[in-house]
Amino acid sequence: MMAQAGQTPLQRLRFNNVALRKLPVDASLERGSRTVRGACFSLVEPQPLLRPRFVAVSPRALALLGLSAEDVLTDPHGPEYLSGSALLPGSEPAAHCYCGHQFGVFAGQLGDGAVCYLGEVAAGADRTDPCDRWEIQVKGAGLTPYSRQSDGRKVLRSSIREFLCSEAMFALGIPTTRAGSLVTSDLYVQRDAFYSGNPRPERCSVVLRIAPTFIRFGSFEIFNPADDFTGRQGPSAGLHDIRAQLLDYVIETFYPEIKTEHTDRKARNAAFFREVTVQTARLVALWQSVGFCHGVLNTDNMSILGLTIDYGPFGFMDRYDPEFVSNASDKKRRYTFEAQPYVCRWNLARLAEALGSELQASTAGSILDEFMPLYRNFYLGNMRRKLGLLRREEPEDEELVEDLLKVMHNTGADFTNTFRLLSSVCCPLVGESGQGDVGTVVDLILEQCASLEELKVANHPTMEPRELEMILSMAETSPGLFNMTANRPEVAKQLEKIGRLKELLETNQEDLKVKQRDDWLIWMNRYRKRLTQECDGMSDPAGVDKERVRIMDSTNPAVVLRNYIAQNAIEWAENGDFSEVQRLLKVLENPYSVPPDLKQPIWPGKKGSCETKGSTRQSVMDSGEKKGTADTVCLPYHTKPPEWAREICVT
């Protein structure tokens, strides 16, 4: 497309919408939800917002498109263009058709119910995508054929979370879709955030999402035959020629090296599936190493490129808990933190089934058998870096990591802050030969551990009371049957919780702290012994230890997007002040280096640890909305969450 004189940088974006040329498109603009057969995309008409304006932009993400923040913020039509309220020259709005297994059950047609593909834009100077162009989408731009009973809108609350977490994950080195901008408006929709029967009006808002592609496992499930359990089938069931077309497009465009290396179609497809398996194993290993819980790991939320996509009820763990669930709607606890690797493997199996005759079942099975060993290898490598075990790989490293997590779990230690503190431990060949520095670090870690009351709450059984009563009754009436039942992993966990709770009920806070300190000292001395092996025989052990600390401090973040930090920014923004969203974005862009004096002003009404007076904060991009009050409470971004943070519920 020829650039015209007087065009703004946004208007000069070079679109090359390959997906719509190479894949079948449903051209009907019929309003309302409907089944779309024989198409991977449907043309749509985004619905304009009322008085759209920027909440924040991400300079790093916009640079992928060759844009600067100034290019976007000074464009008089910037908010319209990046919310779908006005069409960018060369864009072709469409919605992607896909299916999915939701909470383990095939749901049939899903699709982009609130997302609008605008097109594919030539990459900027930072050409890091596999095809030198980026797909851009607007999330929250209105109805599509896939909106079902929804209105195709997203609200400020959820949009802030997606915008911030997309950029936070990138800064942590985790593959992810990106977020270029966040726009809000004076258009309102009713939302019942907690499904409590109390809806309230919320501002319609739109996130600009950027990725090489948003094609996902569920994209191939539109060809699924009728499901044995639900009876549902994909809208394009039986259209194997279109499935082959989609597979060819994905491999040729995003895995060109696989196409080049394999002339045999079956071998090519197997190589593709193996690469998706490797990328998925690497991704979930990274999630586990930073304490990230996706919350809704359905097959429609799994990227074909191994990216983190669709940020909904995600959460970064505070207190370490392998059974952590970030989604309050996940009543059956399918998507716990510890379950994520197994769920990802299960989802890969569904992808293999969706590929049908394109992938031999025996080949898919062999590749799936590689997933857990791949994951464990990636995970252990990540954990070695987090512990600064860089020069040697010892057989006991895996046990050292497992025992660390057990101590963290038993003491209720903060996941992020505990790992960050471990770089303060000296190698015995460099630092003190006694326990002086260890004792200091342990004291700091104990400040990150849970109180007796917190641990009592954390160890309450999560099984349905009636089912738990039946099992406990069985222990008295039928010991043999009880022993068989108790061996089931989910039952064993509940019994372990009961035993732990009994211990906690019989202790006090002072005795608990003594026990926690002893547990940490035991593990810490093992860790120091392992560090000795890193420095042993080195001509410059002090230099080796210095490098260890540098790697640990660039691997263990000082700050992550905890739910309470995100919620604080949301509450300021919902009251008309966007500056905390903007400042938090800058903090998250540098998660390994947070100035110790940098603190977040907590929205009035919350309880914090230090009272400060400050002037009324003005939003840089806001225009005349209500501002926050002058008196605020402030907390460091890297602090252990305050008590009120435990009340936050994300659905």
Side-chain angles (χ1 to χ4, degrees), residues 18 34 119 121 134 144 258 296 314 328 337 344 352 355 370 380 405 434 456-457 497 504 507 537 604 623:
V18 176
R34 53 192 167 83
V121 174
W134 294 91
T144 77
I258 290 177
V296 197
F314 67 83
F337 175 74
C344 286
L355 291 174
E370 300 171 15
L380 186 55
L405 296 178
K456 286 178 182 177
V457 172
K497 278 179 176 285
L504 292 168
T507 192
S623 54

Side-chain angles (χ1 to χ4, degrees), residues 33 49 151 230 237 246 275 347 532 573 577:
S33 300
L49 296 175
D151 51 27
T230 65
L246 175 60
E275 185 60 24
N347 288 341
T532 302
D577 189 333

Side-chain angles (χ1 to χ4, degrees), residues 204-267:
C204 293
S205 304
V206 172
V207 174
L208 177 75
R209 305 204 302 182
I210 306 170
T213 184
F214 287 83
I215 290 175
R216 56 207 61 209
F217 292 10
S219 303
F220 289 92
E221 292 186 293
I222 66 172
F223 310 104
N224 279 11
D227 181 73
D228 291 339
F229 181 69
T230 65
R232 301 187 186 106
Q233 65 178 30
S236 295
L239 300 183
H240 303 315
D241 55 332
I242 298 179
R243 181 176 63 192
Q245 191 177 349
L246 175 60
L247 184 58
D248 290 346
Y249 167 73
V250 168
I251 295 175
E252 291 170 6
T253 308
F254 306 107
Y255 294 99
E257 68 286 352
I258 290 177
K259 181 181 185 301
T260 301
E261 292 170 4
H262 298 279
T263 55
D264 177 75
R265 186 176 184 86
K266 295 288 187 184

Side-chain angles (χ1 to χ4, degrees), residues 23-37:
L23 296 173
V25 177
D26 163 40
S28 171
L29 293 175
E30 176 188 343
R31 292 277 184 178
S33 300
R34 53 192 167 83
T35 300
V36 176
R37 179 171 170 80

Side-chain angles (χ1 to χ4, degrees), residues 269-321:
N269 295 348
F272 160 72
F273 184 65
R274 176 173 282 106
E275 185 60 24
V276 175
T277 299
V278 171
Q279 297 298 341
T280 302
R282 180 179 288 114
L283 176 67
V284 70
L286 286 168
W287 289 349
Q288 302 304 100
S289 68
V290 296
F292 175 79
C293 194
H294 185 283
V296 197
L297 273 182
N298 299 328
T299 56
D300 53 294
N301 293 333
M302 296 284 294
S303 162
I304 210 73
L305 299 183
L307 306 175
T308 314
I309 62 172
D310 286 356
Y311 292 93
F314 67 83
F316 284 88
M317 277 193 302
D318 297 323
R319 172 181 56 80
Y320 176 69
D321 179 5

